[in-house]
Amino acid sequence: MSYEYTSIRDFIDFPDPYDNPFTPFLTSNLPYDLSYGLWQIIGGTIAWLINVIVPGNGVSKWLLCDEVSVVFALAIFMLVTFIVAFVVVLLNLWMERKVLGRLMDRRGTMIGLKGFLQCVADGLKTFMKENTIPSKVDKMTYIWCVSLIVGLSCFVAVMVPLSQRWYVVNYDTGLLIIMAFYALAPFFILVSGWAQNNKYSLIGGLRAAELMISYEVPMLIIIATTSLLVGSFNIGDIVNAQDEIWLIIPEFLGFIVFFFCAIAECERPPFDIAEAETELVEGWQTEYAGMKWGLIMLGDYLRGSVSCGMVAIMFLGGWTIPFIGETPIPEIIFLIKAWFVFFLMILVRGAIARVRPDQILNLGWKVFMPLAVFNLAIAVLLKIGGFY
């Protein structure tokens, strides 16, 4: 390519990203393909403008070299995957407001686009609020805990694949890795409750730890059961194993247990005892105001999206349809299934009042734990019998 003053079309090219020796993906990845193409347009335009000002310079050539193209493509790739996850969260929030409104015999939010702009307005409102920090908190822990909670929530949300071609990383232990990072948030919630030097916050943090201990174990047993039937922790393998029959049929008990444990893990009603605004002001979030509180709410809904995605992957065939396999729009199929699961969570929220902490603990240890073990026994029998 000549880097003298030439047409912009000499700088904008669309090579195959997988011909680049530094490309980190071995198989087709749709968001990376889009990101690589966007950088060819953006980087090529910048290189052309620089070359117009300084003909024949080395910067234009450097911007379009293989190494730099991959770095900027990955930066755009991360932005694209986060934007998709963020839009899904906004749609979840809009759906919850509208469905809860109908359950309460009202219309729900009606501000712009059938009420969707209410979500945008709330985000702007939290941005504009004053950023206050109480004087007697452990400031470093106070700030770092909320940063880690939100950061982990974003990290886990983008790791959930939407299809075979829409993923961040493809690894054999994908299911365990996602759930491991997912389970870290309650630890930071506990520490955050202590750091705020507030009794309500401390009680909320302790309740979050109770939930984690009570509901993580049944969830892990269900994950182990699903992996036992499929023979793999790889998410792609789990989805492909449901080409003919979804795992919700042999694992119906596991689906019920995992569904309710997922509600508890992302602190949604009726298991939101860690926040419990009618009892603890706002629980472990009491001393967080303004944008910090807004980001915490974003993290809660991101973890809720992850829960719905994992239910869709483990029990509802992910992005495939029985006897059809993967469709031309697998990402839409997956999101429809995840939204259906979230719809069920909204129904549970609207139908059941918040239960007491002792009732939640009894439910986790005395009901969900035995059901999870019984579901594992059924899976073992199915495996021994050669059904899987």
Side-chain angles (χ1 to χ4, degrees):
M1 180 188 295
S2 173
Y3 288 87
E4 298 178 357
Y5 178 52
T6 56
S7 169
I8 189 173
R9 282 181 281 183
D10 294 331
F11 291 86
I12 297 179
D13 192 13
F14 295 100
D16 187 342
Y18 304 100
D19 290 338
N20 190 322
F22 300 98
T23 296
F25 301 102
L26 301 178
T27 58
S28 177
N29 188 311
L30 182 57
Y32 181 76
D33 293 345
L34 295 174
S35 303
Y36 199 87
L38 281 173
W39 174 246
Q40 295 303 311
I41 296 173
I42 298 170
T45 303
I46 296 173
W48 172 72
L49 289 172
I50 294 174
N51 194 68
V52 168
I53 300 171
V54 185
N57 67 89
V59 175
S60 296
K61 184 178 180 180
W62 175 78
L63 280 174
L64 298 177
C65 70
D66 289 343
E67 299 93 327
V68 175
S69 294
V70 168
V71 170
F72 281 100
L74 285 175
I76 298 173
F77 167 76
M78 289 184 284
L79 182 62
V80 167
T81 53
F82 174 74
I83 289 174
V84 171
F86 182 69
V87 171
V88 170
V89 165
L90 290 182
L91 290 170
N92 286 349
L93 183 57
W94 172 80
M95 183 198 306
E96 183 162 38
R97 283 173 161 166
K98 298 299 282 188
V99 174
L100 283 177
R102 294 299 180 182
L103 291 174
M104 299 172 186
D105 199 22
R106 56 185 177 84
R107 300 179 70 183
T109 176
M110 295 294 292
I111 299 178
L113 298 175
K114 298 295 183 179
F116 182 77
L117 291 183
Q118 178 68 57
C119 306
V120 180
D122 287 342
L124 292 175
K125 179 184 72 173
T126 55
F127 266 116
M128 295 172 64
K129 285 190 173 182
E130 183 181 1
N131 181 27
T132 59
I133 299 178
S135 59
K136 295 184 180 182
V137 301
D138 187 323
K139 190 172 182 180
M140 180 179 292
T141 309
Y142 173 85
I143 295 296
W144 272 105
C145 279
V146 68
S147 302
L148 289 169
I149 290 168
V150 177
L152 278 170
S153 300
C154 295
F155 180 66
V156 176
V158 300
M159 287 180 70
V160 177
L162 303 185
S163 70
Q164 291 279 25
R165 64 183 183 179
W166 190 292
Y167 61 93
V168 174
V169 285
N170 185 13
Y171 34 74
D172 290 337
T173 57
L175 196 61
L176 284 180
I177 297 276
I178 290 176
M179 297 311 298
F181 282 111
Y182 182 85
L184 284 176
F187 286 104
F188 297 118
I189 290 174
L190 172 61
V191 177
S192 173
W194 168 84
Q196 293 173 56
N197 193 28
N198 181 299
K199 298 299 186 294
Y200 291 126
S201 302
L202 179 59
I203 294 172
L206 292 173
R207 287 184 172 187
E210 290 177 350
L211 276 180
M212 179 190 66
I213 295 171
S214 302
Y215 287 86
E216 277 293 328
V217 178
M219 285 184 74
L220 290 175
I221 293 175
I222 300 301
I223 291 172
T225 304
T226 301
S227 300
L228 173 67
L229 287 178
V230 175
S232 173
F233 283 108
N234 184 282
I235 291 177
D237 293 341
I238 293 172
V239 172
N240 293 333
Q242 302 178 67
D243 282 342
E244 296 183 0
I245 182 172
W246 289 349
L247 289 178
I248 189 175
I249 295 177
E251 280 196 87
F252 183 74
L253 284 178
F255 167 76
I256 297 297
V257 172
F258 193 91
F259 175 75
F260 281 99
C261 288
I263 294 176
E265 279 294 302
C266 56
E267 298 178 33
R268 289 186 54 81
F271 301 119
D272 59 334
I273 61 169
E275 299 171 15
E277 65 275 4
T278 55
E279 305 167 21
L280 304 175
V281 185
E282 190 63 17
W284 70 273
Q285 304 174 22
T286 300
E287 301 295 349
Y288 288 107
M291 197 56 213
K292 294 190 294 295
W293 182 86
L295 289 173
I296 290 171
M297 293 301 296
L298 173 63
D300 288 345
Y301 275 91
L302 283 169
R303 293 201 302 280
S305 296
V306 172
S307 299
C308 297
M310 297 311 295
V311 171
I313 287 170
M314 292 173 58
F315 302 102
L316 302 178
W319 48 83
T320 63
I321 299 176
F323 304 106
I324 296 177
E326 191 168 320
T327 64
I329 49 171
E331 296 83 13
I332 302 300
I333 298 298
F334 176 81
L335 289 176
I336 289 174
K337 293 179 181 179
W339 281 324
F340 172 72
V341 176
F342 190 72
F343 174 75
L344 295 180
M345 288 186 175
I346 299 172
L347 293 183
V348 171
R349 173 177 183 172
I352 304 175
R354 182 187 299 119
V355 294
R356 299 194 311 266
D358 62 308
Q359 293 172 327
I360 290 179
L361 295 181
N362 287 334
L363 188 64
W365 289 112
K366 297 181 180 180
V367 178
F368 290 152
M369 177 67 77
L371 287 177
V373 174
F374 185 64
N375 182 73
L376 176 60
I378 294 174
V380 171
L381 292 176
L382 290 174
K383 197 73 174 179
I384 294 174
F387 294 99
Y388 282 90

